[in-house]
Amino acid sequence: MATSMLCRRTAIFSWAIRRVSPLKSYNPASSHCGLLHQIANYNPKPLKLNLKDPYIPDRESEKTPEWQKTAKYDRKLFGRYGSSSGIDPAKLWPSHAQLEEMIAEEREWNPPLQVMLKNVEAKTKEANAKRLAREKLVAANMAKMPKMVADWRKEKREAKQKLKDEKARRERLLAEARERFGYAMDPRSPKFLEMVSEIEKEEKKKRKLMKRRLKEEQSHVPPAASSADSSS
């Protein structure tokens, strides 16, 4: 408030100086002397400011900002003016809950040296355990590598052979369809698919018959070894 009044008076003074009418016969020396005379005779009224007593905001007033009603601002006033602020210093101490929160925060961000050393040791042990586990896993995988490579090559050979067999079977079916119907057929046509289904059924029956014959032959094999042992 004092600053705003001082700025207002300075602005009025500047405006008054600018409004001074120049002399008709312009003379720099006389103009300068006149200006100095006016400045020397300027006697402003004293500002009605109370700079002795501290500014203590009125908590009951609606014009007082909310941030000037907080405990933080009270601590600031007491730190600046002391007992002249009229603030009870006992009210400036933190409550039990706030004090416990401050202590917990202090322990979290600034733990004792022993706790820090224990944390570093635990982190080092954890890092070493992870490294050893990784090395063990790498060693186990390297030991399995020859078998894994052999299995991979076997799968590649089997997949290649399977593709080759499927291609040969398709060509055989196409040739059989050409021989049966007398013309080349589209492998996606219903007639070709029906023929393939019939052939698969016939092959399935043949496999069943072959399996049954092998089983019967194995069951009727004469026990030559046992008879030879009994005759000896």
Side-chain angles (χ1 to χ4, degrees), residues 188-231:
R188 297 169 295 180
S189 63
K191 187 178 292 187
F192 180 80
L193 296 176
E194 184 179 358
M195 184 198 73
V196 171
S197 178
E198 292 178 359
I199 292 174
E200 288 178 350
K201 287 180 181 179
E202 292 178 359
E203 290 179 352
K204 190 175 181 180
K205 288 180 181 179
K206 289 180 181 179
R207 285 196 297 270
K208 284 185 178 181
L209 290 174
M210 289 292 295
K211 190 182 291 185
R212 188 181 301 172
R213 288 178 183 175
L214 288 174
K215 192 173 182 180
E216 290 176 355
E217 289 177 359
Q218 289 177 0
S219 61
H220 290 85
V221 171
S226 61
S227 61
D229 294 336
S230 59
S231 60

Side-chain angles (χ1 to χ4, degrees), residues 114-169:
Q114 297 297 330
V115 176
M116 294 176 65
L117 291 175
K118 286 183 179 179
N119 293 336
V120 171
E121 185 179 359
K123 289 182 179 179
T124 304
K125 287 183 179 179
E126 184 180 359
N128 290 334
K130 288 183 179 180
R131 179 177 56 81
L132 291 174
R134 180 178 176 83
E135 290 177 356
K136 187 176 180 181
L137 179 62
V138 171
N141 290 335
M142 290 300 295
K144 296 177 183 178
M145 185 63 69
K147 185 177 182 303
M148 292 172 66
V149 172
D151 293 342
W152 176 77
R153 290 177 177 174
K154 182 180 178 182
E155 290 178 0
K156 292 286 288 183
R157 288 195 301 269
E158 290 178 353
K160 189 175 180 180
Q161 186 63 34
K162 186 177 180 181
L163 289 175
K164 187 176 180 181
D165 295 342
E166 289 179 356
K167 184 178 180 181
R169 181 173 178 273

Side-chain angles (χ1 to χ4, degrees), residues 24-43:
K24 292 184 179 180
S25 58
Y26 177 73
N27 188 353
S30 61
S31 176
H32 184 66
C33 292
L35 181 62
L36 291 176
H37 181 71
Q38 290 181 1
I39 294 173
N41 293 331
Y42 178 71
N43 186 19

